[in-house]
Amino acid sequence: MESSAPDSAISAEDQTLRLQNRIPGHAVITELLAIQNRVQPRSRLGRIFGANPLSPDSLPWYQGALGEIRIGHILTSLRADWTVLHAVPVGTGSSDIDHVLIGPAGVFTLNTKNHANQNVWVAGNTFMVAGRKQCHISNAVHEASRAAKLLAAVTSTPVPVTGVVVIVGAKKLTIREKPAAVRVLTERQLLRWLTRRKPVLTSEQIAEIVAAASRPETWHRNPPVPGNPAALRNSFIDLQRQVSAARARRTAWAFGALAAMGAILAALIPAAATLIPTILVP
């Protein structure tokens, strides 16, 4: 009787295909769902009043996923001569590169940061969010440098990589001094910045780099076997619907409370207007 190959035995071709099919936020969503599985389900009363299904531990991962998904959607507008890889596992642990871009304008690693409704301030290597210093610049520099080294090792030729920090949802981005080694852009600036850059790679060079970048073993010493991208996307969409429904319920209750207070005041004012003159008359 013939024995079937174990599930863990995946051909290099399948591994490559799976890497290219990783969805924006793949790693972040995976971690988010793992945390959510440990969260106590909301009570019936909690669901009625719109309690947030996200735990405090889940919230940063959820916001991160939204940011990467937003950038992934923007990147679909790039021309067909661009290759985009999402959530590329790198190193030896659980680290990943949010987005790797390869096209005529070069190779780019994108580090996406969702700072919704926050003020972002940049001066050289100093990166501040709502007055708090962040290490986004140094992380982006390291990310690009490591990507250049790994790609060069496979292609046997230097592969310059530009690191980019992409800020999603910021209330205001102020750049007093541009960082020397990376670019800092908002999600609204990203596509225009990419498409306006001059070509630096030939079609042959692009093909060689894409071939190297598409192999999981280029990036990770022991590439993890990814889950089903479609199932992962559907699970996140379901969670997103729960979060939106809970927010809608909280908003409805808040408006209901305001309406009730308004009705009470509307009833009290005429009565007060009638009562005050009788109190003031000696």
Side-chain angles (χ1 to χ4, degrees):
M1 181 176 180
E2 294 183 358
S3 60
S4 60
D7 292 341
S8 58
I10 300 176
S11 70
E13 183 179 355
D14 288 341
Q15 280 277 26
T16 297
L17 182 61
R18 292 191 179 196
L19 179 57
Q20 290 176 324
N21 284 343
R22 286 173 73 90
I23 63 174
H26 197 116
V28 175
I29 294 172
T30 299
E31 182 62 26
L32 165 65
L33 296 177
I35 295 173
Q36 277 298 110
N37 284 337
R38 300 191 293 268
V39 174
Q40 191 73 17
R42 292 175 296 167
S43 65
R44 184 171 180 273
L45 198 61
R47 292 194 300 271
I48 291 173
F49 284 99
N52 194 338
L54 297 171
S55 71
D57 291 335
S58 303
L59 186 57
W61 295 94
Y62 181 77
Q63 294 293 342
L66 291 177
E68 291 190 37
I69 290 169
R70 170 62 181 155
I71 297 307
H73 177 72
I74 289 172
L75 294 176
T76 60
S77 296
L78 287 170
R79 296 188 329 184
D81 52 359
W82 284 83
T83 294
V84 180
L85 302 175
H86 303 293
V88 177
V90 64
T92 58
S94 59
S95 297
D96 76 315
I97 302 175
D98 295 342
H99 315 276
V100 175
L101 279 57
I102 305 159
V107 183
F108 305 86
T109 53
L110 271 54
N111 192 334
T112 299
K113 296 298 177 185
N114 189 351
H115 292 305
N117 301 315
Q118 300 290 319
N119 289 321
V120 177
W121 186 89
V122 179
N125 292 329
T126 302
F127 194 109
M128 307 281 285
V129 178
R132 295 185 178 182
K133 192 172 182 180
Q134 306 290 332
C135 55
H136 299 341
I137 300 295
S138 58
N139 287 346
V141 171
H142 171 69
E143 206 166 63
S145 176
R146 179 161 62 172
K149 181 179 179 180
L150 293 173
L151 291 171
V154 177
T155 61
S156 299
T157 185
V159 180
V161 178
T162 302
V164 183
V165 180
V166 186
I167 308 303
V168 177
K171 183 187 298 183
K172 183 180 180 182
L173 170 62
T174 301
I175 299 182
R176 292 295 176 86
E177 178 188 350
K178 293 181 180 179
V182 301
R183 292 300 301 261
V184 178
L185 303 166
T186 67
E187 80 273 22
R188 293 180 298 275
Q189 297 170 330
L190 177 61
L191 193 62
R192 184 178 182 183
W193 180 78
L194 286 170
T195 55
R196 288 196 167 194
R197 295 181 66 84
K198 295 181 180 179
V200 296
L201 296 177
T202 64
S203 57
E204 291 78 12
Q205 289 173 317
I206 293 172
E208 184 180 11
I209 296 171
V210 167
S214 297
R215 296 199 289 267
E217 62 272 18
T218 295
W219 304 97
H220 202 283
R221 186 170 299 177
N222 185 26
V225 178
N228 185 322
L232 197 65
R233 181 187 291 109
N234 290 338
S235 294
F236 181 78
I237 290 173
D238 181 61
L239 178 59
Q240 196 173 16
R241 286 171 178 162
Q242 293 178 41
V243 172
S244 297
R247 185 185 301 116
R249 280 185 175 271
R250 292 195 301 272
T251 301
W253 280 106
F255 276 113
L258 288 174
M261 290 178 60
I264 292 171
L265 288 174
L268 289 177
I269 289 174
T274 304
L275 183 61
I276 289 173
T278 62
I279 295 174
L280 294 179
V281 174

